[in-house]
Amino acid sequence: MTSSLMRSLTRDIISKQRRLGSSISQTPYIKHALRSHCFAGTPILNTMSSNHPSTSDLFPVPSSPLSPLIPKHWPGISIESTAALQAVLKDNHVKWNIFFNDSGFHNHIAHRAIAYWALGAAGDLIKAGYEADSSYQRPAFESPEKITEKNFKDHLGDRQFYGAYLAFFTDIVRQQGAAAAIEQYIFAKDVNIDPSAKKKPDMLNRFLGGLVHPMIHLGYGLEFNLPGMVVEGLAEAAVHSDDSASRIPDDFFDYSGGAKTIAEDTFSRFKSLLISSPDTKSASDHATGTHVFTVVARILKDPELGKVQDTGSGMFIFTMEHYASKVIEYMSDWRVDGTNPADIENKLQQLSWLNSVLYGIGGWSKDKPFNADFFHMHLVTSSIFLPSYVAYLKPSSIEHLFRGYLLISLGWWISRGRPVLNISEFYASTTSHPLPSGAIPSPNKDTLRPTNPTKVVTPNAWLPIIETSVVHPDDHLPKLQRALAHYATLYGTREMGRKDFAGTELEGAEKLDGTLFIRVAGLTAERLGRVREGQEAGKWDRKGFYQPKL
């Protein structure tokens, strides 16, 4: 990035702050720069009517990505689709609760709508998705009492107080901005470990609980500059069960990285993420500590961690209560220096590849249909938000998030039966150019004639995958395919045999290359059904990978 472009970016950031009426001198400059991105008062397109004027500042027009590591928006975005998205987000915010039943199942309305918009879907499809998703939601309701700073910790984990926490965090984010609110109410020590509280607050545990749904929800807010999503995500985390406090021990809050001033740290990370080239060999060469693939290899060899059986809805809690300490021991040398941009980018790569491998290769078997595991799928869809968090968090919080997220990812993998990873066989048996089903167009005689004639009809295998995902009845599918397509963009040029993977203890890791993501996307499309081409809609698998009881 040229110095003139950096100066232009700086001027833009300052102008956004001035529109807020903020004083740059109140807090360090870069803290304001990052904060402004998620509450900049961006003008709303005046092309739609809204019944909820008080929510206009919460749901502005989504902004462009801060970093090349954050997914790009697909072509197709328009005034119409943006108006439809904003209408859906505002209506959902005031009309529906964040949970749609007593079991705490999550409201995904905003997730589908934003994914559709980012993938270039038309406004009619965004509205159709909302109609389908709103048909089973629980109406919003008033909480028993108001949440204040004084009683903030008293009602954590109580879903009856979602509305009260929503109002509380709306005021906080409007006053302080997203970055300060996340630091204070998710990562600060006193909202995680407070001996004076009636119960352990455990906000980071809650934030990563519920199959990481609060992290996903808030992540949409950071990625797309939607303060309303940040507010909802914070409130969702507050009323979430902490599942098992043992999964993130207190010593996670002892930061091990280097030290600079806050302004220097934040500016270094912010600038680096703006100018860095994804998947550079430089980032791979700056790895520190044990590679995550080695951690996985050692877990695979531990017979004790292969004994987990299906315990129904409590499988994850059971796993973490019995095996979290052992998992933490295996990952003890996997650290993140939050002051080092190269180390951060390398760890982002590791987590992206890890969860794609656990879902995709873990779900594949040469003699069985692809097991599109519902739980592992969430590890992929959540991982794309990590770069957005990096842009907002201070160095210590980056390490807390990354290590906590890795622990959760490994816990879910183990709790599902710790499927083996047959990397070499996977590559030998799957295609890097999956084809759609159904009627095939008849190309004109003057079309180009590649060696493989199927590439005349399907020159880019991603396009039909994305098209069928945005008309599929399942709201998770477009989110997964968006994540996999993004990783294909970042890492598609990776060749097999690179030393950072080949040097790990994971068998077959040297075979991994940039075609992983299209292979997994193709398997998923077939398992869930290419409905646009006429196939029946399939469903995510929930049977797990458990070994037969002897």
Side-chain angles (χ1 to χ4, degrees):
M1 180 176 288
T2 64
S3 59
S4 62
L5 187 54
M6 281 300 296
R7 287 194 296 271
S8 175
L9 173 67
T10 301
R11 287 194 299 270
D12 180 62
I13 289 170
I14 293 175
S15 69
K16 287 183 177 182
Q17 278 299 319
R18 287 172 177 166
R19 287 201 300 272
L20 271 181
S22 303
S23 170
I24 295 296
S25 63
Q26 288 177 354
T27 55
Y29 160 70
I30 292 299
K31 181 177 179 182
H32 275 268
L34 293 177
R35 182 180 121 186
S36 72
H37 180 70
C38 203
F39 220 105
T42 308
I44 306 297
L45 288 177
N46 191 25
T47 58
M48 58 176 286
S49 61
S50 173
N51 294 323
H52 317 300
S54 64
T55 63
S56 293
D57 64 330
L58 297 178
F59 299 102
V61 175
S63 66
S64 299
L66 270 175
S67 158
L69 301 178
I70 297 171
K72 302 293 187 293
H73 303 160
W74 286 59
I77 291 170
S78 67
I79 294 175
E80 177 224 11
S81 68
T82 303
L85 173 65
Q86 290 179 294
V88 167
L89 295 180
K90 293 174 183 179
D91 203 55
N92 175 61
H93 183 77
V94 301
K95 187 176 290 184
W96 308 115
N97 192 260
I98 200 71
F99 304 104
F100 66 79
N101 62 19
D102 290 336
S103 298
F105 288 11
H106 304 91
N107 175 342
H108 290 127
I109 286 173
H111 302 187
R112 189 207 291 256
I114 298 171
Y116 274 15
W117 181 87
L119 291 171
D124 282 351
L125 278 171
I126 295 173
K127 294 175 183 176
Y130 182 47
E131 183 176 351
D133 293 340
S134 61
S135 64
Y136 55 86
Q137 298 300 324
R138 168 175 287 179
F141 57 86
E142 289 190 17
S143 301
E145 66 174 311
K146 182 179 179 180
I147 293 296
T148 65
E149 290 287 354
K150 185 175 181 180
N151 70 349
F152 175 82
K153 298 174 185 177
D154 294 349
H155 302 292
L156 294 174
D158 188 341
R159 293 196 290 268
Q160 296 296 311
F161 282 84
Y162 171 73
Y165 279 107
L166 189 69
F168 174 81
F169 281 119
T170 298
D171 290 342
I172 293 295
V173 172
R174 279 176 169 155
Q175 294 165 11
Q176 301 180 16
I182 296 167
E183 288 288 357
Q184 181 176 349
Y185 293 99
I186 300 295
F187 292 96
K189 192 169 185 177
D190 71 300
V191 295
N192 288 281
I193 307 166
D194 182 1
S196 66
K198 297 177 181 178
K199 57 182 176 181
K200 197 161 178 260
D202 273 330
M203 280 299 292
L204 183 55
N205 267 323
R206 299 177 195 281
F207 177 68
L208 293 173
L211 203 47
V212 293
H213 274 88
M215 175 198 163
I216 291 172
H217 202 101
L218 201 158
Y220 275 109
L222 299 184
E223 179 182 338
F224 292 92
N225 186 17
L226 296 169
M229 295 294 291
V230 174
V231 168
E232 291 172 8
L234 288 168
E236 181 178 13
V239 299
H240 233 284
S241 165
D242 62 356
D243 289 344
S244 172
S246 64
R247 71 175 186 260
I248 299 182
D250 291 353
D251 60 12
F252 263 57
F253 297 94
D254 295 327
Y255 178 57
S256 64
K260 299 179 182 179
T261 67
I262 292 177
E264 288 173 337
D265 287 339
T266 311
F267 182 74
S268 175
R269 291 183 285 106
F270 185 56
K271 180 180 177 182
S272 174
L273 287 169
L274 282 170
I275 66 176
S276 64
S277 298
D279 197 32
T280 60
K281 291 185 178 181
S282 174
S284 298
D285 292 342
H286 281 83
T288 59
T290 303
H291 195 284
V292 73
F293 285 166
T294 294
V295 175
V296 167
R298 294 172 182 175
I299 290 175
L300 280 168
K301 293 176 182 177
D302 189 327
E304 191 69 19
L305 295 178
K307 296 178 180 179
V308 176
Q309 293 295 323
D310 188 0
T311 56
S313 61
M315 60 192 171
F316 177 74
I317 297 174
F318 175 87
T319 298
M320 300 311 292
E321 288 178 346
H322 288 80
Y323 301 113
S325 60
K326 180 163 280 196
V327 176
I328 290 168
E329 183 179 345
Y330 280 122
M331 57 174 283
S332 60
D333 290 332
W334 195 87
R335 312 292 300 194
V336 184
D337 182 354
T339 67
N340 183 337
D343 192 50
I344 294 171
E345 186 169 337
N346 179 268
K347 296 308 176 4
L348 283 169
Q349 286 187 36
Q350 290 189 33
L351 291 170
S352 303
W353 280 87
L354 168 70
N355 285 348
S356 298
V357 166
L358 295 184
Y359 166 74
I361 300 181
W364 177 86
S365 174
K366 64 180 179 181
D367 55 0
K368 297 178 182 178
F370 181 64
N371 187 334
D373 188 74
F374 177 79
F375 302 91
H376 288 171
M377 169 267 294
H378 282 84
L379 303 182
V380 182
T381 60
S382 59
S383 62
I384 63 168
F385 298 112
L386 291 171
S388 296
Y389 280 98
V390 167
Y392 287 85
L393 299 180
K394 64 184 183 182
S396 58
S397 298
I398 292 173
E399 180 171 45
H400 299 158
L401 175 61
F402 280 29
R403 295 190 72 230
Y405 180 77
L406 174 58
L407 179 58
I408 298 305
S409 298
L410 295 173
W412 275 109
W413 173 55
I414 294 168
S415 75
R416 300 298 294 150
R418 196 189 63 176
V420 296
L421 305 173
N422 294 317
I423 298 174
S424 296
E425 290 187 30
F426 173 87
Y427 272 87
S429 304
T430 58
T431 179
S432 60
H433 196 82
L435 300 174
S437 59
I440 298 176
S442 299
N444 182 275
K445 62 182 177 58
D446 294 328
T447 57
L448 297 177
R449 297 294 174 180
T451 304
N452 184 344
T454 63
K455 293 182 180 178
V456 175
V457 176
T458 310
N460 184 334
W462 278 108
L463 298 182
I465 285 176
I466 296 302
E467 285 182 317
T468 197
S469 74
V470 296
V471 295
H472 199 285
D474 186 271
D475 60 281
H476 291 89
L477 184 60
K479 296 181 284 185
L480 177 76
Q481 302 295 36
R482 183 176 86 98
L484 292 171
H486 172 59
Y487 290 146
T489 301
L490 289 183
Y491 310 124
T493 60
R494 183 187 178 93
E495 299 175 345
M496 67 172 59
R498 289 268 294 272
K499 66 179 183 180
D500 56 328
F501 288 2
T504 70
E505 297 175 15
L506 181 61
E507 183 178 353
E510 72 282 356
K511 299 286 187 180
L512 290 167
D513 68 11
T515 66
L516 171 69
F517 309 103
I518 186 63
R519 293 172 189 268
V520 175
L523 291 170
T524 303
E526 292 303 317
R527 185 62 172 160
L528 272 291
R530 291 180 181 258
V531 296
R532 178 177 173 271
E533 291 82 10
Q535 290 185 344
E536 293 293 324
K539 296 187 180 295
W540 299 101
D541 293 293
R542 299 171 185 262
K543 57 183 177 289
F545 307 86
Y546 304 104
Q547 298 299 315
K549 293 182 179 180
L550 300 177

